[in-house]
Amino acid sequence: MNSRYFTEEHELFRKSFQEFLQKEVVPHIEKWEKTGTIERFIWKKFGEMGYFGLKYPEQYGGLGLDIFYTVIFLEELQKINSGGFAAAMWAHSYLAMTHVNAEGDEEIKKNYLTPSVEGDKIGCLCISEPFGGSDVAGMKTTAVKKGDKYVINGSKTFITNGVYSDYLVVAAKTNPKAHNKGMSIFIMDRETPGISATKLDKLGWRASDTAEIAFDNVEIPAKNLMGEEGKGFPYIMQHFAFERLIMGINGHARAEFALDYTLNYMSERVAFGKTIDKFQALRHSIADMASEVEMCKEFNYSVADRLGKGEYVVKEASMSKLLSTKIADNVIYQCLQFLGGYGYMEDYPLARMSRDSRLGPIGGGTSEILREVIAKMVIDKKEYKPAAK
Ligand SMILES: Cc1cc2nc3c(=O)[nH]c(=O)nc-3n(C[C@H](O)[C@H](O)[C@H](O)COP(=O)(O)OP(=O)(O)OC[C@H]3O[C@@H](n4cnc5c(N)ncnc54)[C@H](O)[C@@H]3O)c2cc1C
């Protein structure tokens, strides 16, 4: 236990969440990995247990807990070896719901946040588009105001929970000429006429449904605008800090899981008359990896602490994602190597881990984009400010 950040209550929560995952989730993972469909009952169970409401206000059914409960939620989800299941859960509770909580008005929160906390409605966040994901401001989807409605046209891609979710949080241009100042955020029900989704086949994260989504003259009430018109870009950028830290925390947690599993394997596997954890070449590599993971973890905890206290940690969160996802990829690659041929077999966890981990340096801001952000802050002394309320 890292007592600087985690209390006894945190650790009790960790233990009970671990038990819940082992009992209610792990028995179904292989099936969901094969079908790419997470059955509805587990969403409801997460809701009943309060797991979707950890950080959300009590008035909407949440528990209003500090950020380290979220850290535990993310870490333990990484340790059941289904990046796809974990992604489905955190994309709902921390991508879609973050916008609903931050920008939704009372009516939106009543209609979407409370049912999201309870596990009755699942959300997705639609930002990336087929012709550009990194260049968020360059998006082409439009929302044109007509009387008391907005009409949405365009498409999104690579959307986590994009097929089976009940509602969509969508970024669209309300004033295409104003570039990043002309973007707004909307919420809409899946059943709204004109929305269609196509499921994508992918390398990893196989339990989660990832979709390309088309919007063909989709009419939504004007009151489904979230926050102020034209403020979509700063809203997105502001929440990116949290999303990037989430992906950093996921990185250190899955690397730690890979290391623990591999150390145990190495303590049992015999070659040349001794267990392979006695070979100096492998021991030194383990020492390097354990050091890197520990450093990431400590850094991520400290950034989480600052974010939880309200600091705008955009530089640190970008650094967290950049390095933690890279280290996770390296650790998992190396751990697979230490399992020899077994590492390559689906019966052992490293095969799936190496596929799932590969998304880390791509999703939610690629490593190249993160380097751009960090370079602007470190070299050009650029300061990013949170969106004004
Ligand atoms: C499984 C999965 C789930 C996802 N879930 C979601 C989701 O729920 N919601 C959502 O909105 N998006 C989601 N995404 C999209 C993801 O965020 C984007 O894929 C990512 O931001 C990169 O965008 P792109 O794929 O369009 O790549 P591009 O922007 O086309 O980039 C291609 C390459 O060019 C590089 N590049 C681009 N610009 C620069 C530059 N200025 N300098 C240097 N290099 C550059 C990139 O780093 C990359 O290597 C998901 C993606 C995947 C694969």
Side-chain angles (χ1 to χ4, degrees):
M1 174 166 101
N2 188 326
S3 57
R4 180 190 289 257
Y5 303 109
F6 297 100
T7 62
E8 230 168 88
E9 285 75 29
H10 285 121
E11 291 309 326
L12 285 173
F13 170 69
R14 187 188 292 279
K15 193 156 186 304
S16 73
F17 188 45
Q18 283 170 345
E19 285 166 4
F20 172 87
L21 290 173
Q22 288 304 324
K23 183 163 172 265
E24 307 288 350
V25 177
V26 170
H28 304 282
I29 285 294
E30 294 307 319
K31 179 177 54 186
W32 296 337
E33 282 281 325
K34 282 203 172 65
T35 59
T37 309
I38 297 164
E39 286 161 282
R40 210 57 195 221
F41 74 86
I42 197 65
W43 294 91
K44 186 62 194 159
K45 278 196 179 161
F46 265 63
E48 284 166 359
M49 295 298 290
Y51 297 142
F52 291 140
L54 296 175
K55 85 185 243 303
Y56 294 105
E58 290 176 38
Q59 68 190 111
Y60 305 108
L63 298 169
L65 296 168
D66 67 66
I67 195 164
F68 283 96
Y69 286 90
T70 292
V71 171
I72 292 170
F73 176 81
L74 296 168
E75 288 183 329
E76 295 307 321
L77 277 173
Q78 290 300 309
K79 297 185 176 190
I80 56 168
N81 198 19
S82 173
F85 180 79
M89 297 297 128
W90 63 255
H92 164 64
S93 51
Y94 295 114
L95 300 192
M97 285 171 67
T98 292
H99 279 277
V100 179
N101 184 47
E103 289 108 41
D105 60 17
E106 274 310 304
E107 192 182 337
I108 288 176
K109 285 184 187 168
K110 201 168 115 280
N111 291 338
Y112 294 95
L113 189 58
T114 302
S116 294
V117 166
E118 290 168 351
D120 289 326
K121 280 188 184 174
I122 304 168
C124 65
L125 177 62
C126 308
I127 297 175
S128 305
E129 300 198 347
F131 299 103
S134 301
D135 182 10
V136 173
M139 70 172 57
K140 302 273 184 290
T141 299
T142 55
V144 176
K145 196 157 185 201
K146 283 197 179 148
D148 60 353
K149 292 191 180 348
Y150 280 96
V151 182
I152 319 282
N153 277 291
S155 55
K156 299 286 171 182
T157 198
F158 307 140
I159 306 305
T160 304
N161 297 338
V163 182
Y164 302 122
S165 53
D166 303 291
Y167 67 89
L168 300 84
V169 175
V170 180
K173 290 273 178 72
T174 34
N175 180 2
K177 286 195 195 114
H179 201 52
N180 66 10
K181 292 192 175 64
M183 192 186 298
S184 306
I185 304 280
F186 300 89
I187 193 159
M188 56 197 78
D189 291 320
R190 158 84 44 193
E191 297 309 324
T192 315
I195 300 179
S196 57
T198 310
K199 197 170 184 174
L200 301 170
D201 194 10
K202 56 195 187 299
L203 175 70
W205 280 25
R206 295 193 67 83
S208 93
D209 55 301
T210 308
E212 177 154 343
I213 302 179
F215 302 88
D216 181 11
N217 284 315
V218 176
E219 286 191 7
I220 57 167
K223 63 182 183 176
N224 286 22
L225 169 74
M226 294 216 290
E228 283 176 47
E229 197 179 275
K231 282 258 188 90
F233 190 73
Y235 294 147
I236 292 169
M237 290 301 137
Q238 178 167 355
H239 300 321
F240 263 163
F242 183 39
E243 183 182 344
R244 285 167 183 172
L245 179 62
I246 287 175
M247 294 192 73
I249 291 167
N250 290 343
H252 83 232
R254 68 175 171 274
E256 195 171 51
F257 175 71
L259 264 181
D260 286 347
Y261 180 87
T262 305
L263 280 175
N264 188 48
Y265 178 89
M266 291 168 73
S267 72
E268 291 171 357
R269 180 71 175 174
V270 174
F272 301 95
K274 51 184 173 184
T275 54
I276 61 173
D277 62 0
K278 298 290 183 293
F279 294 121
Q280 192 180 46
L282 309 195
R283 292 170 71 85
H284 283 191
S285 174
I286 292 283
D288 282 342
M289 293 192 287
S291 309
E292 286 174 343
V293 173
E294 196 65 32
M295 286 191 55
C296 269
K297 191 159 90 163
E298 281 295 328
F299 179 73
N300 293 343
Y301 286 165
S302 121
V303 181
D305 192 34
R306 289 173 58 192
L307 189 109
K309 288 177 176 146
E311 279 185 56
Y312 190 48
V313 286
V314 62
K315 180 176 78 181
E316 294 79 359
S318 304
M319 291 171 164
S320 159
K321 180 177 186 288
L322 177 67
L323 286 190
S324 307
T325 58
K326 184 175 171 190
I327 285 171
D329 266 6
N330 290 344
V331 166
I332 289 164
Y333 183 91
Q334 201 58 44
C335 285
L336 189 151
Q337 181 75 12
F338 291 175
L339 263 68
Y342 294 103
Y344 204 66
M345 297 295 125
E346 290 292 338
D347 286 343
Y348 290 75
L350 270 306
R352 181 185 301 154
M353 284 194 90
S354 61
R355 287 196 297 269
D356 288 351
S357 183
R358 190 61 188 84
L359 198 262
I362 299 172
T366 64
S367 295
E368 292 78 11
I369 293 301
L370 296 176
R371 289 190 190 98
E372 281 295 303
V373 171
I374 296 165
K376 278 183 196 154
M377 298 188 84
V378 171
I379 302 168
D380 308 331
K381 310 293 178 214
K382 184 175 165 77
E383 280 184 32
Y384 290 95
K385 293 200 169 53
K389 289 269 173 201

